[in-house]
Amino acid sequence: MASRNEAPYRPQDRQGVSEMLRGLEGNKGKGKGKGGFSCKKNTFDIDGSNFVDSWRMQDWDYKKQNLPTYARGLFTTNDSKGQPEIVVRGYDKFFNHGEVRETEWENIKRNTRGPYELSVKENGCIIFISGLEDQTLLVCSKHSTGYRQDTDVSHAKAGEDWVERHLKLVGKTRAELAIKLREMNATAVAELCDDEFEEHVLQYTPQAAGLYLHGINLNLPEFATYPHHLVDQFADDWGFKKTMYIVKDDIDEVKTFLEGIGETGHYDGRDTEGFVIRCQSKANSGEWHDWFFKYKFDEPYLMYRQWRECTKAVISGREPKYKKHKKVTEAYINFARKQLHGHPDLAKAYQANHGIIKMRDDFLASCGLEGSDIIRQEAEDGEVTNDNVDRDVVIVPAATIGCGKTTIALSLRSLFGWGHVQNDNITVQKGKPRAFANACCKELEERPAMVADRNNHQKRERKQLIEDISRTVPNAHFVCLNYVHDRSNYNSIRAATRERVLSRGDNHQTIQAGSKGPDAVIEIMEGFMHRFEPVDPESSPDDGFHMVIDIDPTASSRDNLEIVINRLYAEYPKLFAGQDMPSSEDMDAAIDAAMKDYTVDIKHEIKSRDNRGGKQQGMSRATGLNGQPNGKQKEPKVDYFAAQLSATRINAILDTVFRDAPPETARIYNALKQQRRIQADFHVTLIHRAASGEHTEYWHRLLDAHNEASAPTEQRTYTQPEPKLGMCKVGLERLVWDNRVMAFVVRLSPFEEGGVNFPSVNTTAHITVGTAAPNIKPVESNSLLARWLQQGSGASGIAELAIKGNVEVEGTVRGVLQKH
Ligand code: GTP
Ligand code: MG
């Protein structure tokens, strides 16, 4: 063992590496192999001539004995002689205090020695840097490198850019760094902290952004790492930023220090999640080796931090928000309000992080308790913290059609025996949302967790589900499976979900792409995407979720499944009690089965799916298929149904939008205006007679309502305008135009929360603003928007302008009669 003052060095250990690789290969994807773990191998093409393999194990597998290596972040390759070598080596996976046997304080005390280097747990993403034999500098994120199109690679790419900037500072080249690292047989480990690239919890100003070097590891199967002062020296030499750390020699001191920081969650003026402690241990082998553990703040510290946040909220006049320790926190807030009342100086100091501990201690003294007493008491009273939740977990997707909800649900069912209710299997005509919630509750009687398989794409659906289930199961824990729908990403989401749904064919209860034809299905899918309301955990109803797991609708269900399991496992360990974690092979198999073996046995029409509320409106279904009530509708016939808008309002909006635009942008609008080619009336077409065959249900629903409302009564004769069928909200999202036609792309939503929805069956709901000549029909907006969806604006000759702010206008839903 090298002294802590000199750099450790050992050359590649060919035999050790071969052995390690044999161990990894032997457990590749094969369920739990001989080694009792499983791993995934990915090969990356660096530059067409260099190939590296990345090895990845499941988090929980690192807790097992006798693994070929414990490196988290591991890349290997073959050198020019065909000999295997490690090119990138991350730290050994390290655990929280108390998380495993080895990190119980007694064992830490017994088995470790100082100096203990403590650093604040980093807050960006990890980047590995090393040198290949041919002087290529390799920059990797945890599991990726090279130029594949995925997010992890974009981390690696951002890392590359920063490396270049740092090297420039000290006038060195990539090749020089590669040669140096190779000479050291080491991997440089840095944290990429750059808000411009990706925002994390802590803020980094542009001056503070960059790569923070925090470690240098030898490229060996076993873990050997540089002492921190040598890492700093290397950072200075090569232009990297340095990380902050403190050194303590005595483990008791370390413990006291950490517990002290935990009290405020603050260190050096910044919020911290916890610390990483680096030292040496002689556990297992009896020989001193480099070893890390972490100290993440948990109870009662998390409770203290909650109190701190609540106090700050009170001071700044916000409503304090909290989910845990409800009773005691309520009492604390009352106490704090009293203290702060009439003491602006106290409030001001508190905002500057002074007096936090005093406020808390005064409160605890006033009730004669210590923090730990409260936690113990809560546990005895059955106050649920996520750590001991072992039942009543409801998994609620927020998604659109084809995101993979059912695939994930079926996989969770087969892996853990969890419940699953598909909204599409509920065929009751009345009170379907309630029936769905009831079916979910029923699953929880038998099973610890269940998936409420419905799109829940709007807030009112999420609200309904959370409220209805909580009424029957008051302790239910809601986990949102958030298929993130950023509008900027809609085209990729469209591509991914359409592909899946169209190739699924008829194997679905309501969306039968095979027999309905792609256009009809795409329109339904578009409806969901347009109505999608992003999950906002900060506000109602989404603040009812105990946890939100973000997943990417364009990623494979297999990858999403793994994220979901990992997150649930970390948050609700007891939910998995007694079950071994599935290997990656188990997960592959579960997804495979969900995709291949699953067939639906219920099929019915789409109703209440898209048009929930028709029934509540009392729209009876009295029309024949020819679109005429009982075959004898009076002339004239309805041509289309639309949401009509105030022309004054729309014109005012158009004027405002173009007033500040550059002349080139406003050119076509001004021309349309000058030539009086702007529409006199504005509307959003909901459905045209021509589409009634494809959307029979919707057409009939509206037609019935229209006929009912326009039947002559004593007060009403046919000479009056068409009756109002309802109201809706029309959000103006953007203006799109070419030199023939201009339209607003809009978003339709119910007029009030929980109100009736009036979707548009057009691929892109829109308002035609005007056309360039009388022979250009407004319907051309449809083809303009279709081209815009496919090609975007710019080169395609299409221009677009986003409408800033949340501009919404009221729409009046009416049938518009055919002109004679
Ligand atoms: P709806 O019930 O229609 O709203 O869809 P859903 O969100 O439940 O999606 P589902 O799980 O049914 O997935 C849609 C189709 O895509 C099914 O045919 C799946 O088998 C398939 N699918 C799901 N995940 C993947 C994936 O990762 N890759 C591929 N190629 N197909 C997938
Ligand atoms: Mg489904």
Side-chain angles (χ1 to χ4, degrees), residues 53 95 138 235 305 315 392 482 545 551 668 702 770:
D53 297 323
F95 296 97
L138 183 64
R305 295 179 74 177
I315 292 173
D392 297 335
N482 183 23
F545 289 118
I551 50 181
I668 293 196
L702 292 170

Short mmCIF file of all heavy atoms in Angstrom, two decimals, residues 53 95 138 235 305 315 392 482 545 551 668 702 770:
data_model
loop_
_atom_site.label_atom_id
_atom_site.label_comp_id
_atom_site.label_asym_id
_atom_site.label_seq_id
_atom_site.Cartn_x
_atom_site.Cartn_y
_atom_site.Cartn_z
N ASP A 53 -16.15 -1.52 -24.61
CA ASP A 53 -17.33 -2.14 -24.03
C ASP A 53 -17.62 -1.50 -22.68
O ASP A 53 -16.72 -1.30 -21.88
CB ASP A 53 -17.09 -3.64 -23.78
CG ASP A 53 -16.85 -4.38 -25.08
OD1 ASP A 53 -17.48 -4.02 -26.08
OD2 ASP A 53 -16.00 -5.30 -25.08
N PHE A 95 -22.14 2.87 -0.36
CA PHE A 95 -23.47 2.85 0.25
C PHE A 95 -23.63 3.86 1.36
O PHE A 95 -22.65 4.33 1.95
CB PHE A 95 -23.76 1.44 0.79
CG PHE A 95 -23.83 0.42 -0.30
CD1 PHE A 95 -22.73 -0.38 -0.60
CD2 PHE A 95 -24.99 0.27 -1.06
CE1 PHE A 95 -22.79 -1.31 -1.62
CE2 PHE A 95 -25.06 -0.65 -2.09
CZ PHE A 95 -23.95 -1.45 -2.37
N LEU A 138 -10.46 9.52 -24.22
CA LEU A 138 -11.79 8.95 -24.11
C LEU A 138 -12.57 9.70 -23.02
O LEU A 138 -12.08 9.82 -21.90
CB LEU A 138 -11.65 7.47 -23.75
CG LEU A 138 -12.93 6.64 -23.64
CD1 LEU A 138 -13.62 6.57 -24.98
CD2 LEU A 138 -12.58 5.23 -23.16
N ALA A 235 -5.67 18.56 -11.02
CA ALA A 235 -6.65 19.53 -11.53
C ALA A 235 -5.96 20.83 -11.90
O ALA A 235 -6.19 21.40 -12.97
CB ALA A 235 -7.74 19.77 -10.50
N ARG A 305 -35.23 19.74 8.06
CA ARG A 305 -35.17 20.51 6.81
C ARG A 305 -36.56 20.91 6.36
O ARG A 305 -36.79 22.00 5.86
CB ARG A 305 -34.47 19.71 5.71
CG ARG A 305 -33.04 19.43 6.05
CD ARG A 305 -32.37 18.62 4.99
NE ARG A 305 -32.11 19.44 3.82
CZ ARG A 305 -31.48 18.98 2.75
NH1 ARG A 305 -31.09 17.74 2.69
NH2 ARG A 305 -31.24 19.77 1.73
N ILE A 315 -42.46 32.92 6.36
CA ILE A 315 -41.86 34.25 6.34
C ILE A 315 -42.16 34.98 5.03
O ILE A 315 -42.46 36.15 5.01
CB ILE A 315 -40.33 34.16 6.58
CG1 ILE A 315 -40.06 33.69 8.01
CG2 ILE A 315 -39.66 35.52 6.33
CD1 ILE A 315 -38.61 33.39 8.31
N ASP A 392 -50.54 -0.69 -0.39
CA ASP A 392 -51.36 0.43 -0.84
C ASP A 392 -50.63 1.46 -1.70
O ASP A 392 -50.82 2.66 -1.55
CB ASP A 392 -52.02 1.13 0.36
CG ASP A 392 -52.97 0.20 1.10
OD1 ASP A 392 -53.47 -0.75 0.44
OD2 ASP A 392 -53.19 0.38 2.30
N ASN A 482 -44.65 9.40 -14.80
CA ASN A 482 -44.82 10.59 -15.65
C ASN A 482 -44.11 10.42 -16.99
O ASN A 482 -42.90 10.59 -17.09
CB ASN A 482 -44.27 11.80 -14.89
CG ASN A 482 -44.46 13.08 -15.65
OD1 ASN A 482 -45.33 13.18 -16.52
ND2 ASN A 482 -43.65 14.08 -15.34
N PHE A 545 -49.29 13.43 -5.37
CA PHE A 545 -48.39 12.30 -5.61
C PHE A 545 -47.29 12.30 -4.56
O PHE A 545 -46.72 13.34 -4.26
CB PHE A 545 -47.76 12.38 -7.00
CG PHE A 545 -48.73 12.10 -8.11
CD1 PHE A 545 -49.02 13.05 -9.06
CD2 PHE A 545 -49.38 10.87 -8.18
CE1 PHE A 545 -49.92 12.80 -10.08
CE2 PHE A 545 -50.28 10.61 -9.19
CZ PHE A 545 -50.56 11.57 -10.14
N ILE A 551 -40.36 9.45 -16.91
CA ILE A 551 -39.81 8.56 -17.93
C ILE A 551 -40.10 9.12 -19.30
O ILE A 551 -40.97 9.96 -19.48
CB ILE A 551 -40.31 7.10 -17.80
CG1 ILE A 551 -41.82 7.06 -17.68
CG2 ILE A 551 -39.68 6.38 -16.65
CD1 ILE A 551 -42.36 5.66 -17.54
N ILE A 668 -46.67 38.83 -44.53
CA ILE A 668 -47.84 38.13 -45.08
C ILE A 668 -49.11 38.53 -44.34
O ILE A 668 -50.16 38.75 -44.94
CB ILE A 668 -47.60 36.61 -45.07
CG1 ILE A 668 -46.48 36.33 -46.08
CG2 ILE A 668 -48.88 35.83 -45.38
CD1 ILE A 668 -46.31 34.93 -46.52
N LEU A 702 -72.78 15.03 -30.87
CA LEU A 702 -73.01 16.45 -31.09
C LEU A 702 -74.33 16.67 -31.83
O LEU A 702 -75.10 17.59 -31.51
CB LEU A 702 -71.85 17.04 -31.90
CG LEU A 702 -70.52 17.10 -31.13
CD1 LEU A 702 -69.38 17.47 -32.05
CD2 LEU A 702 -70.62 18.09 -29.96
N GLY A 770 -56.69 33.25 -42.35
CA GLY A 770 -57.05 33.80 -43.64
C GLY A 770 -56.33 33.05 -44.75
O GLY A 770 -55.40 32.28 -44.49
#
